[in-house]
Amino acid sequence: MTLRGRLGALAMIVALLLAASVVLLLASRTAGCAVAAPRPSLAPVLRALGDFDQSYDVTDVATLDDAAARAAGALHTDLIGATPQDAVAVAAAQPGAPDAVVVPLRSPAPSSNGEAPLVGLVVFLRDCQGGAYFDTVEDDAALQPALLQFPSVTSEQAALRLGSTALRLAYTTSPLRPEWVTAAPPARSLPAR
């Protein structure tokens, strides 16, 4: 076989492999999902710890809580020992933006009124398959007045103020600043924090 023939055969093989790759990518996408898997931009300390560039299963509460506590303690030493609380789902208000899961962290020491304040919030962004990717940690240890719950406005309080029980927690710019939004007309909202 001549050099020209070999190059032609090689070009044909490369074209077939490329076509097969495109077909596999199209077949593996999730129908109706326009949210790309969020890829974290990790601080060197989190890269050193490892596993923060992967997705977490939000139904595996122990693993998600462990990841939240380790990330918070690594990025903010005053959050070491904080106890993860129940994760809060926050929907994205804009199409194409990822939904989020926020894990509140409670102080191990109670305050003067007896209730331990929240000292931090850890955000995970979700992809179409429900995987949660680490996004950020907010250090609220020095916040005054102290944060006692997330979101600060409960769904019951929001229902009274908005006159509707059909509510969802959603964010526009940051999952750390969500709003309670009515699910039925007329559309109204109330800052949840």
Side-chain angles (χ1 to χ4, degrees):
M1 184 179 269
T2 66
L3 181 59
R4 179 180 273 173
R6 288 185 202 154
L7 288 175
L10 181 62
M12 186 63 91
I13 291 171
V14 169
L16 287 173
L17 287 173
L18 183 61
S21 298
V22 169
V23 168
L24 283 174
L25 284 173
L26 290 175
S28 67
R29 73 179 180 164
T30 305
C33 181
V35 178
R39 296 295 177 211
S41 174
L42 299 174
V45 68
L46 293 180
R47 286 222 181 273
L49 287 175
D51 85 274
F52 286 101
D53 56 352
Q54 69 177 354
S55 70
Y56 296 95
D57 180 359
V58 293
T59 62
D60 185 355
V61 175
T63 301
L64 190 67
D65 286 353
D66 177 63
R70 287 186 304 121
L75 294 173
H76 303 281
T77 56
D78 60 336
L79 298 182
I80 294 174
T83 307
Q85 303 297 291
D86 293 338
V88 177
V90 182
Q94 299 175 352
D99 290 341
V101 174
V102 179
V103 178
L105 300 173
R106 192 162 301 281
S107 171
S111 67
S112 59
N113 70 357
E115 185 177 5
L118 294 182
V119 290
L121 301 169
V122 182
V123 177
F124 294 88
L125 299 178
R126 300 186 69 183
D127 64 9
C128 290
Q129 288 75 35
Y133 290 85
F134 171 78
D135 182 53
T136 191
V137 175
E138 178 180 270
D139 185 348
D140 295 321
L143 187 67
Q144 290 301 322
L147 186 63
L148 297 176
Q149 64 185 17
F150 179 83
S152 302
V153 177
T154 66
S155 60
E156 293 80 15
Q157 292 167 333
L160 285 173
R161 290 185 193 171
L162 295 174
S164 174
T165 57
L167 299 173
R168 69 184 186 115
L169 194 58
Y171 78 95
T172 304
T173 57
S174 169
L176 296 170
R177 303 287 180 264
E179 296 181 321
W180 287 107
V181 180
T182 55
R188 294 188 317 200
S189 65
L190 173 72
R193 183 170 178 212

